[in-house]
């Protein structure tokens, strides 16, 4: 027994010695210099808090040759101090309530983060340790359990603290950290917040920019996660909608006059009139001061919730710079009793309140400090102590100064927005604790329906209740619940409006609700907004003015897409929207108007019956047809006369009929083209000219043969005369004249027989057959054309841009060329025949008339080709009709006018003798008929013979 006791004691000694030895190897590496509030005595649960009461940590000289000391803080912030007092007020209010944690008194430990990550980490470690010296991974002491941390101010600070608290599954409820990065539950599993996620605010600002049509925007962001993530989300949304970023600057976290000066220069030189700022008031304040010094105006600032109602940047003269600022603020509320709590402070309670008092009233509560300053100031003035310095020193606070008489950010409760968020955060923790405390045994959420003990619970157990808490905020009845750690994205749209005295009013001009339907999320009252320089019209901020309808945007090389040139749409293209990227091509039947903003129907063009030109052509055509018919009547009335019977009267009537057809077919070319009119006009024209030219060809062929016969008779006559003369000479020499005379008479008989005009090689039947066959060939060709590829009416949209020309499509170029080439062939043959017969003369010189008629025909159609090719639309039809009419009138006039003249004016010349053809002598002295020509030859021969005999 004694041996066992000895061994047991030895083991206990070794264990105690080992523990002491282990502890002796651990050393406290640093002691943090933290300020704040602490009340944990006799409290059942302790809530942590962290607020950036100061703006920054005090600078150090960086000397590493001595023991480093935790830096202090400087730059007291009245706004964040009000947040701190709001947490104290909420805890005191909860402790007084009987319906919320009635059996539990809440304590608190609140630290100043100094708006610095390092101080936030120091405060977090110290809070988790439970004592002033931070010991990582340990909770020292046996005090009240720690509930949650309310804080730690800005997003950067909360990210740092959330990473530490997440390691221990310790809940954190933020009132001011809006960065969208904090929504990641993988990185920050225990982070919650009572202020909306910045993804809602970025969307809201983007929609505001788009609402006012601003496409050229500058951005300024704090050099922290809050600014970077906020601006990043904003840029992504507006750039997707076509907005361009003029410049993007970053505010330094540490004072840097060079960087501030560079940003000011960028703002001054930029053409963007809208500047979006994602920053805290602390980081933005140095830039505002410098902008005021440069007298920068005519800019509209878009504020994030971190500074939209902050008084920290309210420098003298700021109205000219920030007047008309529009931004987004979280929900505002009235908290009864808070102002009384804020004003009811005892400056001697704690060092933080003492510093607040001294900073606010610019005095000191330390008598020794006040006396020392007074002595130093007095010596600098006159070198002797004043009587006041011997009594109450100057600059000494009484502690009874009236807070209520000061117009200060701290006591201003008109815009309780972040303050209200703090209030909600404290109540969220309190309601979670209340649910934990009033858990019914057997119905709990842990380990098979167990409940946690309010006096000894683990942080992860409270986290369960916080995630599922749902309550209504006192005095406002706003329902609070966490959706994956976030609350609803609700904002007031606030407009900064200054009065004549430079006093600012934060006017709510709209709302944004991120939980509503997309079309209902933002409501804004444009008429209530007062813009910069007291303008009521929204400012314009564009790199390039909008391209009006009728133009398109032409991107400038190397510049943002919002910087562009407005290029007019080409003819036939339109744009009917503002800032069109491309011009739209009008349809085939439409064309752009003069403004190029609408497609209008093209002008339908064809040679109509009712227009002056059409009426003129109809009158001329009808006149030509009537004249031709009148000629036919005259010929019918004189059908039995030699002139009409000469050279086949039937061919004359067929020629006149064909001219009537050509005159009348020109009318079919008029009017709106139809399939039937296209076929009729072309076929009638081809057949009419074929009949006309073949009739002329038949007539000219007879005349040509007569002319050749007369020419041959003349040649034989000359030969006979020579032979007679030779015979006479021979007879005179030989003395046998009778033989010579007989030979001469035989020759004369031959001449008379060959020169007889009544004997024609081509009869009337031959002429008619020529005309009929030539016309039939054309008719067959036209029939084949109409069957295979007939002409049809078409809409020609390519000839003229602004017009649709209704015209006839010939169907086949080969057919149309062949058909009219055939007419040309007939014309050439007729012209050749007529030209050869031109020397055959009778009283009316019909051969010459046909020759001149064909010359007119060729001149007209040769002139027609260039005129036709150089015109478009209805004038092409007019040129074609003019050519038809001119050639028809030419043939009618040249061929039939001389005959009508004889028939109507000189009927005495209409005799058989005068109608007989005769060949024209070369010397031009003989003008007789072919019969007289034969008599003359005989007489000449006889005379020659007689002369020879006499001799």
């Amino acid at each position: 027994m004694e041996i066992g006791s000895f061994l047991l004691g030895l083991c206990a000694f070794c264990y105690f010695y080992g523990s002491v030895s282990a502890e002796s190897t651990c050393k406290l590496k640093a002691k943090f210099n933290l300020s704040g509030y602490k009340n944990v005595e006799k409290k059942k649960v302790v809530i942590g808090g962290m607020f950036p009461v100061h703006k920054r940590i005090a600078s150090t000289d960086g000397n590493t040759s001595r023991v480093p000391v935790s830096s202090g803080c400087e730059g007291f912030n009245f706004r964040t101090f009000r947040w701190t007092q709001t947490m104290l007020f909420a805890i005191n209010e909860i402790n007084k309530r009987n319906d919320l944690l009635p059996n539990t008194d809440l304590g608190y430990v609140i630290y100043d983060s100094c708006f610095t990550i390092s101080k936030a980490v120091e405060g977090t470690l110290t809070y988790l340790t439970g004592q002033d010296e931070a010991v990582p991974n340990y909770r020292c002491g046996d005090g009240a359990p720690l509930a949650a941390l309310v804080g730690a101010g800005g997003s950067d600070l909360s990210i740092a603290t959330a990473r530490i608290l997440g390691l221990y599954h310790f809940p954190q409820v933020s009132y001011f950290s809006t960065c969208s990065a904090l929504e990641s539950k993988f990185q920050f599993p225990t982070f919650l917040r009572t202020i909306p996620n910045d993804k809602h605010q970025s969307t809201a600002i983007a929609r505001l920019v788009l609402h006012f049509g601003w496409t050229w925007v500058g951005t300024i962001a704090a050099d922290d996660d809050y600014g970077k993530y906020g601006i990043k989300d904003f840029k992504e949304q507006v750039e997707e909608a076509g907005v361009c970023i003029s410049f993007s600057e970053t505010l330094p976290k540490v004072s840097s006059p060079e960087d501030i000066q560079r940003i000011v220069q960028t703002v001054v030189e930029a053409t963007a009139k809208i500047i979006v700022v994602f920053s805290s008031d602390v980081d933005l304040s140095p830039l505002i001061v410098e902008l005021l010094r440069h007298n920068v105006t005519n800019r509209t600032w878009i504020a994030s919730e971190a500074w939209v109602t902050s008084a920290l940047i309210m420098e003298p003269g700021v109205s000219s710079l920030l007047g008309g600022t529009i931004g987004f603020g979280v929900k505002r509320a009235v908290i009864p009793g808070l102002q009384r709590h804020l004003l009811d402070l005892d400056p001697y309670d704690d060092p933080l309140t003492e510093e607040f008092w001294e900073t606010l009233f610019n005095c000191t509560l330390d008598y020794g400090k006040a006396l020392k300053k007074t002595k130093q100031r007095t010596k600098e003035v006159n070198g002797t102590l004043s009587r006041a310095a011997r009594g109450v020193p100057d600059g000494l606070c009484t502690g009874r100064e009236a807070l209520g008489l000061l117009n200060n950010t701290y006591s201003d409760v008109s815009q309780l927005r972040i303050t209200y968020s703090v209030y909600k955060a404290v109540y969220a923790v309190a309601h979670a604790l209340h649910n934990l405390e009033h858990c019914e045994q057997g119905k709990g959420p842990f380990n098979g329906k167990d409940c946690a003990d309010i006096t000894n619970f683990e942080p992860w157990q409270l986290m369960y209740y916080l995630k599922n808490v749902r309550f209504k905020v006192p005095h406002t009845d706003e329902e609070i619940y966490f959706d994956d750690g976030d609350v609803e994205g609700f904002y007031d749209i606030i407009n900064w409006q200054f009065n004549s005295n430079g006093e600012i009013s934060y006017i709510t001009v709209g709302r944004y609700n991120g939980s509503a339907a997309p079309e209902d999320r933002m409501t804004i009252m444009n008429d209530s907004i007062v813009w910069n320089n007291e303008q009521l019209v929204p400012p314009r901020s564009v790199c390039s003015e909008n391209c009006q309808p009728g133009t398109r945007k032409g991107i400038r090389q190397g510049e943002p897409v919002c910087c562009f040139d407005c290029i007019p749409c080409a003819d036939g293209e339109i744009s009917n929207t503002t800032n069109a990227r491309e011009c739209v091509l009008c349809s085939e039947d439409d064309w752009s108007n003069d403004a190029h903003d609408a497609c209008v129907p093209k002008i339908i063009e064809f040679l109509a019956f009712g227009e002056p030109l059409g009426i003129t052509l109809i009158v001329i055509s009808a006149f030509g047809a009537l004249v031709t018919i009148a000629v036919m009547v005259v010929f019918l009335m004189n059908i039995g006369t030699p002139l009409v019977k000469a050279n086949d009267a039937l061919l004359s009537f067929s020629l006149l009929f064909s001219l009537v057809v050509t005159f009348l077919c020109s009318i079919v070319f008029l009017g709106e083209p139809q399939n039937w009119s296209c076929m009729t006009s072309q076929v009638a024209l081809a057949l009419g000219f074929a009949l006309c030219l073949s009739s002329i060809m038949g007539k000219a062929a007879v005349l040509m043969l007569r002319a050749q016969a007369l020419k041959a008779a003349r040649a034989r006559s000359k030969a006979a005369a020579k032979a007679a003369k030779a015979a006479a000479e021979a007879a005179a020499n030989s003395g046998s004249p009778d033989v010579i005379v007989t030979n001469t008479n035989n020759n004369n008989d031959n001449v008379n027989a060959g020169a007889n005009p009544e004997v024609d090689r081509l009869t009337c039947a031959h002429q008619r057959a020529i005309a009929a066959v030539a016309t039939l060939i054309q008719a067959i060709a036209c029939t084949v054309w109409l069957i295979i590829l007939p002409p049809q009416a078409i809409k020609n949209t390519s000839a003229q841009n602004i017009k649709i020309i209704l015209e006839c499509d010939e169907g086949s170029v080969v057919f149309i060329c062949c058909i009219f080439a055939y007419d040309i062939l007939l014309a050439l043959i007729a012209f050749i025949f007529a030209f050869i017969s031109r020397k055959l003369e009778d009283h009316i010189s019909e051969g010459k008339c046909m020759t001149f008629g064909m010359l007119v025909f060729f001149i007209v159609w040769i002139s027609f080709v260039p005129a036709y090719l150089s015109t478009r639309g209805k004038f092409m039809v007019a040129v074609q009709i003019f050519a038809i009419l001119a050639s028809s009138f030419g043939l009618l006039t040249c061929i039939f006018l001389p005959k009508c003249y004889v028939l109507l004016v000189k009927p005495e010349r209409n005799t058989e003798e005068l109608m007989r053809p005769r060949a024209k002598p070369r010397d031009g002295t003989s003008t007789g008929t072919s019969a007289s020509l034969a008599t003359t030859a005989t007489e000449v021969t006889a005379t020659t013979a007689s002369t020879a005999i006499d001799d």
Side-chain angles (χ1 to χ4, degrees):
M1 187 70 179
E2 293 180 357
I3 296 175
S5 300
F6 173 76
L7 292 175
L8 181 62
L10 181 62
C11 290
F13 174 76
C14 292
Y15 176 79
F16 175 77
Y17 180 77
S19 298
V20 172
S21 300
E23 290 178 1
S24 65
T25 61
C26 297
K27 295 188 293 184
L28 187 65
K29 301 301 293 182
K31 185 174 182 179
F32 301 141
N33 181 15
L34 297 170
S35 59
Y37 295 95
K38 187 175 184 179
N39 182 5
V40 297
E41 296 297 329
K42 299 180 181 180
K43 303 297 181 181
K44 187 178 288 189
V45 179
V46 174
I47 299 178
M50 196 171 296
F51 297 87
V53 178
H54 290 86
K55 301 176 184 177
R56 55 190 170 272
I57 60 175
S59 58
T60 60
D61 56 5
N63 190 344
T64 58
S65 61
R66 58 172 179 258
V67 177
V69 179
S70 178
S71 300
C73 301
E74 60 184 11
F76 200 90
N77 191 332
F78 297 115
R79 184 189 185 204
T80 53
F81 185 67
R82 184 181 69 224
W83 301 348
T84 308
Q85 290 299 321
T86 301
M87 180 174 178
L88 297 177
F89 168 77
I91 291 175
N92 291 336
E93 188 177 66
I94 292 168
N95 286 337
K96 294 176 183 178
R97 293 179 57 166
N98 296 323
D99 59 337
L100 185 61
L101 295 174
N103 302 319
T104 300
D105 274 349
L106 297 179
Y108 52 82
V109 175
I110 300 175
Y111 292 116
D112 177 14
S113 66
C114 300
F115 206 66
T116 308
I117 294 177
S118 60
K119 282 294 179 183
V121 172
E122 290 178 8
T124 302
L125 294 174
T126 303
Y127 173 64
L128 290 175
T129 301
Q131 61 183 24
D132 292 341
E133 294 84 10
V135 181
N137 295 330
Y138 284 93
R139 165 68 173 161
C140 301
D142 55 357
L146 304 179
L149 177 68
V150 177
S155 295
D156 263 12
L157 310 185
S158 288
I159 288 174
T161 57
R163 293 191 187 279
I164 298 173
L165 295 174
L167 297 175
Y168 306 106
H169 307 285
F170 200 96
Q172 176 182 357
V173 184
S174 178
Y175 53 86
F176 193 55
S177 302
T178 59
C179 180
S180 59
L182 286 163
E183 68 181 355
S184 171
K185 295 307 164 190
F186 178 77
Q187 298 185 67
F188 312 103
T190 60
F191 179 83
L192 305 99
R193 50 188 162 192
T194 56
I195 191 169
N197 189 330
D198 264 345
K199 67 180 182 181
H200 296 298
Q201 182 171 208
S202 297
T203 302
I205 296 178
R207 291 184 69 127
L208 179 74
V209 168
L210 297 176
H211 173 78
F212 288 108
W214 297 322
T215 59
W216 191 234
V217 179
T219 63
I220 298 176
D223 191 15
D224 54 24
D225 290 323
Y226 169 71
K228 292 176 181 177
Y229 277 90
I231 285 295
K232 174 179 173 290
D233 292 342
F234 166 76
K235 284 183 178 179
E236 288 176 353
Q237 296 186 56
V238 295
E239 287 177 345
E240 185 177 348
V243 178
C244 298
I245 304 302
S246 172
F247 63 87
S248 189
E249 293 289 345
T250 302
L251 291 169
K253 294 294 289 184
V254 180
S255 177
S256 174
E258 295 81 9
D259 289 342
I260 294 296
Q261 189 64 38
R262 174 181 50 79
I263 297 173
V264 170
Q265 194 65 28
T266 300
V267 172
V268 170
E269 294 177 354
T271 57
K273 303 300 180 183
I274 307 299
I275 302 174
V276 178
V277 180
F278 256 95
S279 170
S280 67
D281 51 355
V282 174
D283 293 331
L284 181 61
S285 182
L287 176 63
I288 298 299
V289 173
E290 192 64 22
L291 288 170
L292 286 172
R293 195 174 69 83
H294 283 76
N295 193 28
V296 177
T297 57
N298 196 26
R299 302 290 190 279
T300 297
W301 301 81
I302 309 300
S304 63
E305 99 294 336
W307 66 277
V308 68
T309 57
S310 173
L312 182 64
I313 56 179
M314 288 296 121
E315 300 288 339
V318 77
S319 60
S320 63
L321 173 64
L322 298 180
T325 293
I326 191 167
F328 292 83
V330 295
K331 279 187 176 180
R332 173 179 171 270
V334 175
I335 305 176
L338 177 61
Q339 189 171 34
R340 177 178 294 181
H341 171 82
L342 295 176
L343 299 178
D344 190 19
L345 287 184
D346 184 355
Y348 300 103
D349 273 354
D350 54 80
L352 201 58
T353 307
E354 181 179 340
E355 183 183 358
F356 158 73
W357 202 274
E358 292 177 347
T359 305
L360 180 62
F361 293 105
N362 194 24
C363 61
T364 179
L365 292 168
D366 189 329
Y367 181 85
K369 289 183 180 179
L371 182 60
K372 184 178 180 181
K373 288 182 179 180
T374 302
K375 289 180 178 179
Q376 184 177 359
R377 187 166 53 251
T378 303
K379 288 181 179 179
E380 290 175 356
V381 175
N382 51 26
T384 59
L385 288 174
S386 65
R387 188 174 297 176
R390 300 190 196 98
V392 179
D394 297 336
L396 180 65
C397 298
T398 63
R400 295 186 297 274
E401 288 81 3
L403 285 172
L405 298 179
L406 295 178
N407 185 14
N408 182 267
T409 305
Y410 169 75
S411 58
D412 182 9
V413 293
S414 62
Q415 293 290 327
L416 298 181
R417 298 182 184 274
I418 306 301
T419 302
Y420 179 49
S421 183
V422 174
Y423 188 72
K424 290 186 288 186
V426 177
Y427 264 90
V429 176
H431 277 277
L433 288 170
H434 181 86
N435 294 339
L436 183 148
E437 182 179 20
H438 291 82
C439 172
E440 296 182 22
Q441 287 296 332
K443 297 182 180 180
F446 311 115
N447 300 326
K449 301 184 179 181
D450 286 346
C451 293
D453 184 4
I454 188 69
T455 61
N456 186 23
F457 61 88
E458 295 296 330
W460 59 267
Q461 293 176 317
L462 178 62
M463 184 64 197
Y464 169 82
Y465 287 100
L466 264 174
K467 288 173 63 177
N468 297 284
V469 73
R470 197 178 193 100
F471 67 97
K472 288 187 176 181
V473 183
H475 316 302
T476 65
D477 286 337
E478 179 190 355
E479 188 174 28
I480 298 297
Y481 61 92
F482 295 107
D483 181 8
D484 205 18
D486 285 331
V487 294
E488 289 182 328
F490 187 90
Y491 297 92
D492 290 333
I493 302 176
I494 300 169
N495 180 222
W496 288 24
Q497 299 181 11
F498 290 87
N499 60 19
S500 57
N501 298 324
E503 297 175 350
I504 188 173
S505 296
Y506 300 107
I507 306 300
T508 300
V509 295
R511 299 278 190 277
Y512 181 85
N513 185 358
S515 303
E519 64 274 10
D520 300 328
R521 286 180 181 175
M522 188 172 73
T523 57
I524 188 167
M525 299 173 286
N526 294 348
D527 296 339
S528 302
I529 301 175
V530 176
W531 301 97
N532 192 269
N533 297 329
E534 299 183 357
Q535 297 293 319
L536 298 178
V537 180
R540 287 185 56 77
S541 184
V542 294
C543 180
S544 300
E545 290 297 329
N546 290 333
C547 288
Q548 298 303 315
T551 62
R552 67 174 178 86
K553 295 200 297 186
I555 304 301
R556 297 175 186 169
Q557 196 69 26
E559 296 188 30
V561 294
C562 297
C563 301
F564 49 82
D565 297 316
C566 295
I567 302 173
C569 292
D571 290 338
E573 297 181 348
I574 66 159
S575 64
N576 53 12
T577 59
T578 303
N579 290 333
R581 294 184 178 275
E582 295 293 339
C583 295
V584 179
L585 186 66
C586 293
S587 65
E588 286 189 356
D589 294 341
D590 296 328
W591 192 251
S592 57
N593 59 2
D594 292 338
H596 292 273
D597 58 1
C599 288
V600 295
K602 290 183 178 180
I603 300 171
I604 305 296
E605 182 178 277
F606 59 90
L607 190 54
F609 293 105
E611 60 181 291
L613 182 58
I615 295 173
T616 303
L617 294 174
I618 291 174
V619 170
I620 296 174
S621 301
F623 175 75
L626 291 174
V627 170
T628 306
I629 293 173
V631 172
M632 291 178 68
V633 171
V634 171
F635 268 56
L636 283 171
M637 293 174 63
N638 296 275
I639 190 67
T641 61
L643 179 61
V644 176
K645 291 192 298 181
N647 205 358
D648 196 354
L650 184 59
L651 281 184
S652 297
F653 283 110
S654 68
L655 176 57
L656 289 170
F657 174 74
S658 66
L659 290 176
V660 172
V661 171
T662 56
F663 277 121
L664 294 180
C665 79
S666 62
I667 299 178
V668 186
F669 282 90
L670 298 174
E672 182 177 350
Q674 304 291 336
N675 289 340
W676 69 267
S677 63
C678 291
M679 291 187 287
T680 302
S681 60
Q682 298 293 348
V683 171
L685 179 63
L687 290 176
F689 274 127
L691 180 58
C692 174
L693 295 171
S694 62
S695 298
I696 295 174
M697 183 177 65
K699 283 176 160 292
V702 172
L703 295 177
M704 177 191 69
L705 293 176
R706 287 180 181 177
Q708 288 181 338
L710 291 175
K711 183 178 180 181
R714 183 172 179 272
R716 285 194 298 272
S717 176
K718 287 184 178 181
K722 288 182 180 180
K725 184 177 180 181
E729 290 177 355
N733 295 329
S734 61
S736 56
D738 292 336
V739 177
I740 298 172
V741 171
T742 301
N743 291 338
T744 303
N745 289 334
N746 291 338
N747 289 337
N748 288 339
D749 292 339
N750 293 335
V751 171
N752 289 335
N756 186 3
E758 299 300 331
V759 182
D760 289 329
R761 296 179 186 178
L762 290 178
T763 64
C764 291
H766 293 142
Q767 290 177 285
R768 295 167 188 172
I770 291 173
V773 171
T775 305
L776 182 61
I777 293 172
Q778 183 72 297
I780 294 172
C782 289
T783 302
V784 174
W785 179 28
L786 293 178
I787 293 174
I788 298 177
L789 287 172
Q792 57 184 351
I794 62 168
K795 293 180 178 180
N796 187 344
T797 59
S798 60
Q800 295 188 28
N801 292 331
I802 62 174
K803 295 179 181 179
I804 296 177
I805 301 174
L806 301 183
E807 60 185 14
C808 292
D809 179 21
E810 289 76 13
S812 172
V813 177
V814 175
F815 270 112
I816 193 71
C817 290
C818 291
I819 286 170
F820 285 102
Y822 180 73
D823 282 342
I824 294 172
L825 176 62
L826 293 179
L828 286 172
I829 295 173
F831 174 73
I832 292 171
F833 287 173
F835 184 78
I836 294 173
S837 66
R838 74 189 185 282
K839 293 183 180 180
L840 180 64
E841 289 196 354
D842 50 29
H843 193 67
I844 58 172
S845 300
E846 189 174 12
K848 287 185 178 179
C849 292
M850 288 185 182
T851 303
F852 283 121
M854 294 309 301
L855 283 175
V856 171
F857 183 87
F858 280 116
I859 290 171
V860 168
W861 287 103
I862 290 172
S863 303
F864 159 78
V865 173
Y868 184 82
L869 296 177
S870 63
T871 55
R872 291 289 182 271
K874 62 183 180 182
F875 296 105
M876 292 181 69
V877 179
V879 168
Q880 190 172 6
I881 294 175
F882 273 122
I884 295 171
L885 295 177
S887 58
S888 299
F889 272 113
L891 292 174
L892 178 65
T893 303
C894 291
I895 295 176
F896 290 99
L897 181 61
K899 294 181 178 182
C900 289
Y901 176 78
V902 171
L903 292 174
L904 297 175
V905 180
K906 300 289 184 180
E908 66 275 7
R909 296 182 183 178
N910 189 4
T911 62
E912 185 72 26
E913 182 65 24
L914 292 177
M915 293 302 108
R916 290 178 181 176
R918 60 186 183 275
K920 182 180 178 181
R922 292 193 178 190
D923 56 5
T925 57
S926 176
T927 59
T929 64
S930 55
S932 63
L933 178 61
T935 304
T936 303
T938 304
E939 291 175 352
V940 169
T941 304
T943 303
T944 306
S946 299
T947 304
I949 293 173
D950 292 341
D951 291 339

